[in-house]
Amino acid sequence: MERTRPKQSPTGATAFSGTSDPLAGIFGDVLLLSENTDSPASPQYFCYEVPWLLARSICARSFALTAMRMIVLKKLRPGILLLAGLCGAWARAENSQVEAIAQALRANEFARAVELTRDGLKQSPGNAELWAMQGAAYSGEGQNKKALDSFRAALKISPNYIPALQGAAQIEYSESSTAAIPHLERLLSLRPGDRTSHGMLAVLEYQQGNCAAAVTHFEKAGTLFDSQPDGLHAHAACLVKLKRLDKAVDIFERALALHPEDGIERHLLAALQLLAHQPQNALVTLQPLLQSGNPNAETLDLAATAYEDSKDTPQAVASLRQAILLDPHNVNLYVDLANISSAHDSFQVGIDVVSDGIVQLPKAAPLYLARGVLYVQLAEYDKAERDFETAYELDPHQSLSSAAQGLLAAQQNDLDRALATVQAKLEQRPRDPILLYLRADFLSQKGVEPGTPDFQLALRSARQAVSLQPTLSGVRTVLAKLYLQAGNYPQAVEQCRKALDRDPKDQTALYHLIQGLRKMGDNREIPDLLKRLALLRQQAARDESQRNQYKLVEEDTQPR
């Protein structure tokens, strides 16, 4: 559709005229508007124009500031839109009844407009225009349910009637309802270049977690979100989930440009740049914070990662030491420094640092694991075993299977409640190997003692699960642990080896294998097994660090 040069309204809104689209005189074009408010930064709104109103429009707020419960319909103050001329088609209408309704809408006389549409619909119940006008009138009264019913009635008569599609989509969108999606998709089939419809679809798809679809619509929305940090955050978060990191960095640079003084924005961009393997750019991003004279521990931790990735290890170590002084109870700082020490064969330095951390945090299992890894590098296997054993005692949940962890999380880390849930399901499916496995796992985590009925139940459940499904991941590790507790060391070793044949990275099975061999007095394999465990822990630490970076980006890009 061709357009003439846009006219500028006194408020700064842009309206188009002279279009070749015969509907435009009635329906108007989409405007991106800004309303003055009492807040320092005025929120922006994007909306469909209501064709029957001169001094009023109903707009959808693009992103509310609370956890994507966004897009609320908002009445703009009279005079904020220049819609003069849009209702010219109505003024020229031969139908006096329709003109009377339009006049009532323009005068904000919504109750009168509702009555007039009722009268008109008695005579013409198949008139989609009247139904849509009634929807606009109900919307003006704030009766969105009735408005939606009216718009839907119009669409039953005329599925492609644009004012009704826009009205229904906007109300559904304001409620974050997926019911808006088919209406918006139909609008786009009629107007493929409609940026507002693309913007609304981007938001809805983002809310549903459909990032591939959301990104497509974010891109087609053009500049609609350019001045809206929350919109840019959502776009960038989806790009991160899709592993399109370079593009995510580009989007987030635009978000930072809107508020360059915001330290959180700088942290997010730097974390993204590190994920995208751009450590030098991350340092540039962090420089204003580093040069401020009082950088916080998070800034220094990010900078340390950037320095290390840039091969500037001394500066990385200095940054982490400074961060630890500022936040001595941050476990990750000690672990990061231990990882750097290990990577550069400075094992004793790492041990000293982590030992300092253990003084501050004597019950932090990750610190014992990190120090155990370093002891292995120095061939101090007895010390390494003691640290690994302490770590497992402090955090028994780390030996839980992923399935058990998921169920336990759902039960808010309540072992009794999780166990009761599994027991109830087993009454319905007594030979379900996964449920039997979970029962054994949870009973083991509860610390059942050998010889007790609960211990026998756990052992019997694990054996039965292995018998029913020998390849079930994790169940042999649980059975090995129970055999260890019962003193059946050869059987524990056998189960550990079978578990490791299936999953060579099963750290719990490897640890129990070391325990079993030690109990049997067979120490020949133990040094090599400890080295293997140390390597797995190092890789797990690196993976955890990367997951934490992704988590930082994904969580902190939620609208604030």
Side-chain angles (χ1 to χ4, degrees):
M1 159 171 94
E2 295 180 4
R3 302 186 179 196
T4 62
R5 184 172 61 84
K7 298 177 181 179
Q8 198 74 16
S9 76
T11 62
T14 302
F16 288 91
S17 63
T19 174
S20 60
D21 185 347
L23 298 176
I26 298 176
F27 305 134
D29 287 291
V30 173
L31 303 184
L32 180 62
L33 304 163
S34 180
E35 179 185 10
N36 291 326
T37 67
D38 296 330
S39 63
S42 299
Q44 287 198 324
Y45 304 86
F46 52 92
C47 65
Y48 296 119
E49 290 184 1
V50 179
W52 308 287
L53 310 184
L54 276 174
R56 182 178 178 275
S57 178
I58 301 173
C59 290
R61 185 172 184 176
S62 61
F63 279 88
L65 299 181
T66 54
M68 296 304 285
R69 300 302 303 169
M70 46 202 178
I71 326 301
V72 294
L73 294 180
K74 183 177 180 70
K75 291 194 292 184
L76 302 183
R77 290 193 294 271
I80 203 164
L81 296 179
L82 283 186
L83 299 182
L86 284 178
C87 297
W90 297 112
R92 294 189 297 272
E94 295 178 1
N95 190 325
S96 60
Q97 189 173 47
V98 169
E99 171 58 19
I101 297 169
Q103 287 180 351
L105 288 170
R106 288 195 295 267
N108 290 354
E109 297 175 357
F110 302 117
R112 179 168 172 266
V114 168
E115 289 302 318
L116 290 171
T117 57
R118 285 175 180 164
D119 293 341
L121 288 168
K122 287 178 183 177
Q123 301 174 19
S124 305
N127 188 318
E129 289 179 341
L130 289 176
W131 281 110
M133 294 178 85
Q134 185 180 79
Y138 277 132
S139 181
E141 290 185 318
Q143 299 191 62
N144 282 349
K145 185 179 183 304
K146 289 184 177 181
L148 195 54
D149 289 342
S150 297
F151 287 132
R152 287 172 176 169
L155 292 172
K156 285 183 180 179
I157 298 165
S158 180
N160 291 339
Y161 189 47
I162 289 179
L165 284 168
Q166 291 176 332
Q170 204 157 300
I171 291 173
E172 291 160 341
Y173 176 57
S174 73
E175 299 168 351
S176 297
S177 170
T178 56
I181 291 177
H183 291 142
L184 292 166
E185 289 174 340
R186 184 175 287 271
L187 277 167
L188 286 172
S189 73
L190 300 170
R191 293 181 169 183
D194 184 348
R195 294 183 307 133
T196 297
S197 295
H198 281 299
M200 290 182 176
L201 268 175
V203 170
L204 290 170
E205 296 289 8
Y206 169 79
Q207 289 175 323
Q208 295 301 308
N210 301 327
C211 275
V215 164
T216 297
H217 290 296
F218 274 122
E219 290 170 351
K220 291 184 178 181
T223 60
L224 197 64
F225 296 102
D226 274 5
S227 60
Q228 302 177 41
D230 287 333
L232 294 171
H233 287 178
H235 190 178
C238 271
L239 288 166
V240 169
K241 288 184 178 179
L242 297 175
K243 303 298 188 287
R244 293 172 57 184
L245 300 180
D246 289 338
K247 181 63 176 176
V249 168
D250 293 341
I251 297 297
F252 216 87
E253 284 174 345
R254 286 153 55 187
L256 178 60
L258 296 175
H259 299 289
E261 75 291 345
D262 191 325
I264 294 176
E265 298 281 287
R266 289 196 174 276
H267 285 167
L268 286 171
L269 177 56
L272 267 175
Q273 290 166 327
L274 289 170
L275 286 173
H277 306 293
Q278 300 175 15
Q280 292 294 333
N281 291 342
L283 287 171
V284 171
T285 298
L286 293 170
Q287 277 308 302
L289 301 177
L290 292 170
Q291 295 174 353
S292 66
N294 57 344
N296 61 26
E298 184 178 357
T299 299
L300 291 164
D301 192 20
L302 285 168
T305 303
Y307 283 128
E308 178 63 12
D309 289 352
S310 301
K311 312 300 182 186
D312 189 353
T313 300
Q315 192 61 50
V317 171
S319 296
L320 281 172
R321 288 189 181 278
Q322 186 180 354
I324 288 171
L325 289 174
L326 292 172
D327 189 3
H329 293 95
N330 187 331
V331 171
N332 291 332
L333 298 176
Y334 297 101
V335 173
D336 288 346
L337 192 45
N339 290 336
I340 291 176
S341 300
S342 179
H344 295 280
D345 296 338
S346 299
F347 306 120
Q348 190 58 52
V349 172
I351 288 170
D352 293 341
V353 169
V354 176
S355 296
D356 290 340
I358 288 173
V359 172
Q360 297 287 336
L361 300 159
K363 294 186 177 181
L367 296 182
Y368 290 94
L369 286 170
R371 191 172 67 177
V373 168
L374 292 166
Y375 277 134
V376 168
Q377 306 300 329
L378 294 178
E380 297 187 31
Y381 301 122
D382 290 340
K383 291 181 179 178
E385 274 195 77
R386 284 198 295 272
D387 272 352
F388 289 146
E389 185 174 354
T390 301
Y392 280 95
E393 289 174 355
L394 287 171
D395 186 10
H397 287 175
Q398 65 186 311
S399 63
L400 279 172
S401 67
S402 58
Q405 287 174 339
L407 181 56
L408 187 57
Q411 304 293 344
Q412 297 179 327
N413 289 319
D414 185 336
L415 272 172
D416 290 328
R417 186 177 167 199
L419 182 59
T421 299
V422 170
Q423 296 276 36
K425 291 181 179 179
L426 275 168
E427 290 179 5
Q428 305 296 321
R429 302 194 299 276
R431 290 178 57 81
D432 186 312
I434 294 177
L435 292 175
L436 288 165
Y437 162 37
L438 290 175
R439 179 165 69 184
D441 211 352
F442 287 136
L443 285 169
S444 173
Q445 294 304 318
K446 281 173 63 68
V448 291
E449 294 291 335
T452 64
D454 279 347
F455 184 88
Q456 293 304 318
L457 177 61
L459 189 59
R460 189 167 59 251
S461 298
R463 284 173 174 164
Q464 192 176 2
V466 169
S467 174
L468 290 168
Q469 191 171 336
T471 60
L472 181 59
S473 176
V475 66
R476 291 187 183 276
T477 305
V478 174
L479 183 55
K481 179 182 178 182
L482 293 168
Y483 279 143
L484 280 173
Q485 289 179 269
N488 297 329
Y489 305 127
Q491 290 174 294
V493 167
E494 179 187 4
Q495 292 301 322
C496 287
R497 293 193 191 280
K498 289 181 177 180
L500 289 166
D501 285 342
R502 178 125 187 108
D503 180 8
K505 294 184 178 180
D506 186 337
Q507 295 180 49
T508 305
L510 189 54
Y511 172 63
H512 289 327
L513 177 57
I514 294 169
Q515 284 183 308
L517 291 171
R518 179 76 74 188
K519 294 290 186 181
M520 292 170 60
D522 185 354
N523 298 327
R524 293 169 298 174
E525 296 179 67
I526 289 178
D528 288 338
L529 292 174
L530 283 169
K531 291 177 184 178
R532 184 174 163 188
L533 181 58
L535 287 174
L536 289 175
R537 283 305 313 163
Q538 286 178 308
Q539 183 58 51
R542 287 192 290 269
D543 293 344
E544 180 67 19
S545 177
Q546 188 171 53
R547 280 195 299 272
N548 286 339
Q549 287 181 330
Y550 274 104
K551 186 177 179 181
L552 169 69
V553 171
E554 290 178 0
E555 289 184 353
D556 285 3
T557 49
Q558 300 299 315
R560 297 189 296 277

